[in-house]
Amino acid sequence: MISDIKNVLTIDVEDYFHVAALAKSIKPEDWDAISPRVSTNTLRLLDLFDERNVKATHFVLGWVAERFPELIREIDNRGHEIASHGYSHQLVYTQTPALFEKETRDSKNLLEDIIGKPVQGYRAASYSITRKSLWALDILAELGFKYDSSIFPVAHDNYGIKGSPEFPHILETPNKGTLVEYPLSTYRFMGQAIPVAGGGYFRLYPYWLSRFFYRKINQQAAPFVFYLHPWEIDPDQPRVDASLLSRFRHYNNLDKGYLRFSRLLTDFRFTTMHEKLNELGLFDGATNIAVSY
Ligand SMILES: [Zn+2]
């Protein structure tokens, strides 16, 4: 074990065909006709978590919860946190506030009906809360979410708020609501915030480099947040025709995903996002200064 610090483990529970990088090739109306792989892959992750005695936060897509409620109950029964990944996996900044409000409310209610517990965390599809969609934070606070983990403090073509805070904080929403924000992890190197939070970055960098970044963050006494999708441990998933860049982002090093991820669980400690925010005292808002974007 490299550090005693408990980091935050998050799984975005969706299938390979929900991904924004493949959205030009597979339309939402086609989803029901595709053979699903999300349950098998998620159960494989759950077995690994049991073996390593690790708990994670699962941001579940409403579309998946509606079709596989027994999978969501299984995640919950095994002691993990259930949070929301919205319903339709459409980018927030392409939606109207009214549409976003409806689908976010519906997917929160759906998950709460399945597990019989409040759902307190939210993560947007493809981290799509950006400067164009800060209004979504008001809606999340109004719907009763306690925390959000959608903001990537980097410059990227599809997401990110460059220069935003890199560690968990309380934010003031545009309409003066409050919400805890847990940004996706970056490592500051030569003045640049390098995205290191998992997913495609974890597949892109050699494992020793990811481990170097995480160790450095933990040496600063800070926890990092890691995300993975169930399809990232599934090298046998059907290949979809998409642009060269999208195919690279989606398929790069899929065959190494499972082993790399199990090494990560050996080298670092993890817990759920809710437990970490509790530990950091961030749910006791009165004592903290709110950041506005
Ligand atoms: Zn997603």
Side-chain angles (χ1 to χ4, degrees), residues 12-14 18-19 61 85 89 124-127 229 231:
D12 292 355
V13 182
E14 63 192 43
H18 295 125
V19 174
L61 193 66
H85 194 35
H89 216 268
S126 302
Y127 315 105
H229 303 88
W231 54 263

Side-chain angles (χ1 to χ4, degrees), residues 10 16 30 54 84 112 114 116 153 171 180 189 243 257-258 267 272:
T10 69
Y16 72 95
D30 302 330
V54 172
S84 172
E112 289 177 345
I114 293 172
L171 65 75
V180 176
F189 184 71
S243 73
Y258 184 84
D267 287 343
T272 64

Side-chain angles (χ1 to χ4, degrees), residues 194-211:
I194 302 170
V196 298
Y201 301 107
F202 187 65
R203 284 182 288 119
L204 177 65
Y205 309 144
Y207 180 72
W208 63 263
L209 184 60
S210 292
R211 190 174 55 186

Side-chain angles (χ1 to χ4, degrees), residues 7-260:
N7 301 290
V8 178
L9 185 57
T10 69
I11 306 297
D12 292 355
V13 182
E14 63 192 43
D15 220 320
Y16 72 95
F17 48 82
H18 295 125
V19 174
L22 304 181
K24 283 204 179 78
S25 310
I26 305 180
K27 304 285 173 226
E29 50 271 30
D30 302 330
W31 291 352
D32 268 318
I34 305 172
S35 182
R37 303 175 74 87
V38 64
S39 291
T40 311
N41 291 328
T42 304
L43 288 169
R44 196 169 168 222
L45 286 174
L46 292 180
D47 288 345
L48 177 64
F49 296 155
D50 282 354
E51 195 186 299
R52 304 302 182 87
N53 199 20
V54 172
K55 301 289 184 253
T57 294
H58 289 69
F59 291 97
V60 179
L61 193 66
W63 190 95
V64 171
E66 201 168 61
R67 282 154 185 81
F68 307 102
E70 70 291 349
L71 175 69
I72 312 315
R73 273 190 288 271
E74 182 70 16
I75 300 170
D76 176 58
N77 285 339
R78 295 212 205 177
H80 301 280
E81 180 185 9
I82 301 288
S84 172
H85 194 35
Y87 180 82
S88 66
H89 216 268
Q90 302 307 297
L91 303 170
V92 175
Y93 51 75
T94 64
Q95 293 188 308
T96 62
L99 185 62
F100 174 79
E101 203 263 356
K102 185 186 181 317
E103 83 151 64
T104 308
R105 180 192 300 271
D106 288 352
S107 50
K108 184 173 190 283
N109 289 341
L110 174 66
L111 292 172
E112 289 177 345
D113 286 348
I114 293 172
I115 60 168
K117 293 176 190 168
V119 164
Q120 300 176 314
Y122 177 82
R123 174 173 288 157
S126 302
Y127 315 105
S128 55
I129 296 185
T130 66
R131 291 223 177 271
K132 289 184 282 186
S133 49
L134 289 175
W135 48 261
L137 298 169
D138 282 320
I139 294 170
L140 294 175
E142 283 157 20
L143 290 177
F145 284 99
K146 284 176 111 176
Y147 72 86
D148 171 67
S149 180
S150 306
I151 299 181
F152 224 133
V154 294
H156 182 276
D157 51 352
N158 299 327
Y159 53 75
I161 300 182
K162 195 174 176 227
S164 59
E166 289 161 32
F167 295 103
H169 55 280
I170 295 181
L171 65 75
E172 188 178 75
T173 68
N175 280 344
K176 311 288 177 211
T178 55
L179 198 62
V180 176
E181 176 63 36
Y182 208 132
L184 283 304
S185 287
T186 51
Y187 176 66
R188 195 153 272 282
F189 184 71
M190 314 253 293
Q192 294 294 316
I194 302 170
V196 298
Y201 301 107
F202 187 65
R203 284 182 288 119
L204 177 65
Y205 309 144
Y207 180 72
W208 63 263
L209 184 60
S210 292
R211 190 174 55 186
F212 168 83
F213 291 141
Y214 301 145
R215 181 196 279 145
K216 286 284 183 192
I217 293 173
N218 280 177
Q219 278 170 356
Q220 294 162 5
F224 63 87
V225 51
F226 186 87
Y227 71 88
L228 190 81
H229 303 88
W231 54 263
E232 290 184 286
I233 58 158
D234 179 13
D236 300 329
Q237 64 189 269
R239 294 304 188 259
V240 176
D241 193 25
S243 73
L244 197 59
L245 177 63
S246 295
R247 273 185 287 141
F248 177 74
R249 280 177 175 167
H250 192 88
Y251 298 120
N252 178 44
N253 282 334
L254 275 185
D255 54 333
K256 300 197 175 78
Y258 184 84
L259 269 178
R260 253 188 208 181

